[in-house]
Amino acid sequence: MVPSIMMLLLMFSPAMMTALGVVREKEMGSITNLYVTPVTGLEFLLGKQLPYAAIGLINFVCLLALALFMFQVPIKGSALTLAAGAALYVVATTGFGLVISTFVTSQVAAIFAAGILTMMPAVQFSGMFTPLSSLTGSARSMGLVFPSTYFQQISLGSFTKSLGFVELSNNLLALAAIIVAYLALARLFLATQEK
């Protein structure tokens, strides 16, 4: 359960924090500063994302320390692969928060959307309780497009299955692709708000 809880907490907290980033600017009216400065939309989004990604990485280090020292769960596989996967996962989860933040119009909606849209797929479709291979239809599709599925495999593989970079490289590549997709979606929604 410890590797799965790590996946769950790293999905929930960074996404919720980031979901407030852009929408707060919209509510306060300071988003208009973006339109009059030479900053591009992508630079604006990355500027909003990076501090929360750094906080997420600090969360990962704390959760890893708890797993190793308090719960006595050793890393049997590659610690470096676990760290790389966590870095990609945190950037993906903060990217998901950006998508929500650029799409909704209020902070309350952002909190509710981030809470519901992160917890349901992370718990039900990531392989936490039910293996992804046993899911079918739309449940399997949701599992395949959500980052928690891939970090769940990385976390379990690193902690319990003695897997390394070679065995988990497809999961790392999937997380990288999800990061690009989330940033592109957030940029698209931000552009929609500008018009």
Side-chain angles (χ1 to χ4, degrees):
M1 283 307 291
V2 169
S4 296
I5 296 300
M6 184 179 291
M7 173 275 298
L8 197 59
L9 291 176
L10 287 177
M11 181 73 219
F12 190 64
S13 300
M16 286 196 75
M17 289 187 299
T18 312
L20 295 174
V22 177
V23 76
R24 185 183 309 119
E25 300 265 347
K26 285 192 252 180
E27 279 191 340
M28 292 173 31
S30 58
I31 191 81
T32 55
N33 292 338
L34 169 65
Y35 309 141
V36 297
T37 61
V39 174
T40 66
L42 185 61
E43 291 170 343
F44 173 76
L45 290 172
L46 290 174
K48 289 290 180 190
Q49 182 182 22
L50 291 178
Y52 297 114
I55 292 169
L57 289 174
I58 293 168
N59 284 347
F60 167 70
V61 170
C62 294
L63 290 169
L64 183 62
L66 283 171
L68 294 174
F69 303 116
M70 185 174 173
F71 294 108
Q72 301 291 312
V73 179
I75 299 175
K76 295 180 179 177
S78 169
L80 190 59
T81 302
L82 177 64
L88 288 172
Y89 184 57
V90 164
V91 173
T93 58
T94 54
F96 185 72
L98 279 179
V99 171
I100 293 169
S101 189
T102 56
F103 186 73
V104 300
T105 56
S106 73
Q107 293 184 57
V108 174
I111 289 290
F112 278 110
I116 293 168
L117 295 176
T118 58
M119 292 307 282
M120 286 298 293
V123 172
Q124 299 295 327
F125 310 124
S126 68
M128 183 174 181
F129 295 121
T130 306
L132 183 65
S133 58
S134 69
L135 297 176
T136 58
S138 59
R140 182 172 175 78
S141 298
M142 282 195 68
L144 290 174
V145 299
F146 213 68
S148 56
T149 302
Y150 303 102
F151 186 68
Q152 173 75 358
Q153 298 301 317
I154 293 168
S155 185
L156 282 176
S158 299
F159 274 106
T160 63
K161 298 179 182 177
S162 301
L163 300 180
F165 181 79
V166 174
E167 296 88 359
L168 297 170
S169 59
N170 287 340
N171 294 303
L172 294 168
L173 289 173
L175 284 174
I178 287 170
I179 290 169
V180 173
Y182 283 164
L183 280 175
L185 269 175
R187 181 64 187 97
L188 178 69
F189 289 143
L190 186 67
T192 304
Q193 296 296 331
E194 290 173 11
K195 293 177 181 174

